[in-house]
Amino acid sequence: MWDESSEAMVEKFMIGLKRRNPGEPEFHQAVEEVAHTVMPFVLNHEKYKNAGILERMTEPDRIVIFRVCWEDDQGNIRANRGYRVQFNNSIGPYKGGLRFHPSVTLSVLKFLGFEQTFKNSLTTLPMGGGKGGADFNPKGKSDREVMRFCQSFMTQLFRHIGPNIDVPAGDIGVGGREVSYMFGQYKRLTGEFTGALTGKGISFGGSLIRTEATGYGNVYFTNEMFKHKGDSLEGKTCVVSGSGNVAQYTIEKINHLGGTVVTASDSSGFIHDPSGIKDEKLEFLKDLKNNKRGRISEYADKYGCTFQSGQRPWAVPCQAAFPCATQNELFGEDAQTLVNNGCIAVGEGANMPSNIDAINHFVKSKVMFGPSKAANAGGVAVSGLEMTQNSMRLSWDREELDVRLQNIMKSIHKQCVTYGDENGHVNYVKGANIAGFVKVADAMLAYGVV
Ligand code: NDP
Ligand code: 2IT
């Protein structure tokens, strides 16, 4: 059976995967993207060939699904669905964020848990992959409603997590406020103060730089891609989507490195500010989104720039694009528009923001395309450093953590070059997938039949 061509093998493998996981399009998409680059590698390496390794790596270790009941401010009883996908703990405790958003389904969390396994492997730190969340919408809820939801969610989840078992953190709709409510409830239920969650407040075990880490790491990685070609982000016009945690600190670090960010967005549309989102304007954006929980159009009202309702920013000409909102927000035709307008680099801050057509177009056009599992790994990497600090019961200072983050992003870039170099051009998709795969696959083989 191993004589068949690699593409035919991918097709056959995907038929089986879709049969075993019906109605899960995001999960299928994430696996297919990995299979195209990893399958040829598997077929070329005797030790992986007959080990069923891709079948095993695409089957989560376990999934917990639970009801989350809570009472709103009007006294109505609400019910949501909570999940934790413990995908793979071959190289360390399950690690990955929690997402609270109405679009959360099992398919979305399985794609995220699968990607997380590869991403965490790339960080060089000992972390397995997991993801969880709920279809709860924090938008428009009072602090007390969010607190009651988080406490109820943790009352179910606490028995499945722990510092050596599974360590959740934030993701869309889960930031410092939500992690703190959940950590408080975890501590109350277990009677233990342990590093069972990351992204905690600085005064109770959180790490400096964690808030900034995903965005900063994304820009460090993208700048490494430029440096590999003897260039840098300095002077480049950049387009960013999103305006949440990852987008804000992507914008901040691009500013530090001398680039100009001309767009930001949310689910209602995007703003275009040709003079750059910097200084006081970036602080306004952070306050608008983090404290006032307002809409991006208010930025346009305040600074007199354009707001395009219901649109994404990909038609705005740029040299570098940073999709930082959510999955499947950049399609094949957007990739064509970006490339035609002179875009030469993409740093994926969000998870799987580009669909497969878009990725193929970027790779074919030899764009420096930093896929999410490499480019946005800085967040979970600093979460790993938070776990280390919690275990050692000490905290590192900002400079030390920033240097560690930069070194980790450089190391991820190096791993991508090692496995993704194609006659002098780096295919970062291939590089990240294979480098992430090797470490996890080797651990699984060492354990025997697991
Ligand atoms: P936030 O909740 O802070 O911000 C999310 C942003 O994306 C908001 O601007 C939001 O707009 C927008 N958005 C969310 N869902 C949609 C949607 N369906 N359509 C259009 N816009 C949407 O989340 P983060 O910044 O933390 O996460 C953003 C991305 O980065 C996600 O893909 C996440 O998985 C990924 N990521 C996050 C990490 C982290 O450390 N936080 C680490 C690595 C990756 P609106 O306000 O209108 O909802
Ligand atoms: O997608 C991600 O890497 C995250 N949401 C961060 C996970 C973490 O454990 O810090």
Side-chain angles (χ1 to χ4, degrees):
M1 80 190 267
W2 298 111
D3 295 328
E4 293 171 66
S5 79
S6 157
E7 279 309 299
M9 286 301 296
V10 170
E11 210 170 296
K12 202 165 166 183
F13 172 74
M14 287 307 302
I15 289 170
L17 183 108
K18 287 177 182 169
R19 187 175 38 74
R20 293 192 297 280
N21 303 276
E24 298 184 353
E26 293 86 0
F27 181 52
H28 303 164
Q29 181 184 337
V31 172
E32 186 171 347
E33 189 254 287
V34 166
H36 280 297
T37 48
V38 169
M39 187 67 82
F41 185 80
V42 166
L43 297 180
N44 274 331
H45 291 79
E46 210 52 46
K47 67 175 173 177
Y48 303 126
K49 248 191 186 177
N50 295 312
I53 200 76
L54 277 179
E55 283 78 3
R56 287 195 267 165
M57 280 176 69
T58 49
E59 198 60 43
D61 289 354
R62 71 186 64 72
I63 298 173
V64 189
I65 303 183
F66 46 91
R67 183 175 65 229
V68 186
C69 289
W70 56 283
E71 189 174 350
D72 70 20
D73 288 344
Q74 285 71 46
N76 304 307
I77 306 305
R78 308 278 204 103
N80 287 99
R81 189 173 298 163
Y83 306 81
R84 187 69 181 167
V85 179
Q86 297 184 329
F87 217 103
N88 190 304
N89 70 350
S90 298
I91 63 167
Y94 304 106
K95 179 82 196 90
L98 296 169
R99 177 177 291 192
F100 293 168
H101 195 273
S103 64
V104 163
T105 60
L106 188 56
S107 171
V108 167
L109 296 178
K110 281 171 73 177
F111 115 64
L112 288 164
F114 176 73
E115 289 277 303
Q116 197 83 45
T117 304
F118 286 71
K119 183 195 309 191
N120 293 4
S121 164
L122 288 169
T123 64
T124 71
L125 302 173
M127 299 183 289
K131 202 83 188 190
D135 59 355
F136 171 74
N137 187 359
K139 229 175 265 167
K141 304 289 190 302
S142 69
D143 283 352
R144 285 301 158 124
E145 288 176 323
V146 170
M147 180 190 78
R148 287 194 290 274
F149 177 82
C150 289
Q151 291 179 341
S152 183
F153 181 86
M154 187 50 76
T155 301
Q156 283 294 330
L157 186 66
F158 87 99
R159 66 190 85 247
H160 306 289
I161 64 171
N164 298 312
I165 301 169
D166 183 353
V167 185
D171 192 79
I172 291 178
V174 178
R177 176 182 61 170
E178 292 75 16
V179 169
S180 302
Y181 288 146
M182 287 190 274
F183 184 68
Q185 182 73 349
Y186 179 84
K187 193 170 66 60
R188 180 156 71 153
L189 290 164
T190 59
E192 281 186 0
F193 194 109
T194 55
L197 289 148
T198 62
K200 301 184 289 298
I202 301 302
S203 62
F204 46 93
S207 175
L208 290 166
I209 296 272
R210 175 62 190 88
T211 307
E212 297 89 337
T214 311
Y216 279 18
N218 184 21
V219 178
Y220 290 146
F221 185 87
T222 306
N223 203 40
E224 279 304 308
M225 297 196 294
F226 273 106
K227 277 161 65 185
H228 194 69
K229 293 222 167 159
D231 198 353
S232 83
L233 263 168
E234 195 180 349
K236 303 288 188 292
T237 298
C238 303
V239 159
V240 170
S241 69
S243 51
N245 172 269
V246 179
Q248 290 167 19
Y249 291 97
T250 293
I251 297 172
E252 184 163 291
K253 188 50 74 179
I254 293 170
N255 289 342
H256 290 169
L257 298 188
T260 302
V261 180
V262 295
T263 66
S265 72
D266 65 15
S267 52
S268 56
F270 79 92
I271 57 106
H272 182 196
D273 180 355
S275 64
I277 304 170
K278 45 183 60 154
D279 306 325
E280 181 225 314
K281 290 191 277 183
L282 178 56
E283 293 316 308
F284 174 86
L285 181 73
K286 286 184 190 170
D287 183 52
L288 174 69
K289 284 294 173 182
N290 305 345
N291 304 321
K292 302 203 170 70
R293 297 181 191 268
R295 308 309 295 157
I296 195 78
S297 55
E298 294 171 50
Y299 179 103
D301 297 341
K302 167 107 176 147
Y303 294 109
C305 66
T306 56
F307 169 66
Q308 306 248 18
S309 178
Q311 305 291 313
R312 298 189 176 99
W314 313 128
V316 175
C318 64
Q319 282 103 47
F322 296 85
C324 297
T326 192
Q327 66 272 5
N328 290 329
E329 53 162 323
L330 198 165
F331 301 99
E333 53 276 30
D334 301 317
Q336 281 177 27
T337 306
L338 280 162
V339 173
N340 290 344
N341 285 340
C343 178
I344 52 172
V346 176
E348 290 194 318
N351 284 306
M352 203 170 78
S354 311
N355 77 351
I356 290 185
D357 286 348
I359 296 174
N360 288 343
H361 189 74
F362 286 134
V363 171
K364 193 180 75 192
S365 309
K366 294 206 175 349
V367 165
M368 296 180 269
F369 176 76
S372 46
K373 56 174 79 65
N376 75 30
V380 74
V382 175
S383 276
L385 300 178
E386 183 171 328
M387 290 165 71
T388 308
Q389 293 168 84
N390 290 166
S391 299
M392 294 164 74
R393 298 189 196 283
L394 51 72
S395 12
W396 289 322
D397 64 25
R398 212 183 150 80
E399 289 66 36
E400 162 128 32
L401 285 155
D402 195 30
V403 168
R404 283 181 186 269
L405 171 61
Q406 290 187 49
N407 287 337
I408 287 171
M409 298 319 293
K410 279 185 190 153
S411 158
I412 296 173
H413 182 269
K414 203 168 153 200
Q415 295 173 66
C416 291
V417 174
T418 301
Y419 288 102
D421 188 83
E422 292 173 339
N423 307 316
H425 173 75
V426 184
N427 178 341
Y428 288 93
V429 174
K430 179 176 160 192
N433 286 342
I434 297 176
F437 167 84
V438 165
K439 210 167 142 187
V440 178
D442 286 353
M444 290 177 79
L445 291 185
Y447 298 142
V449 179
V450 291

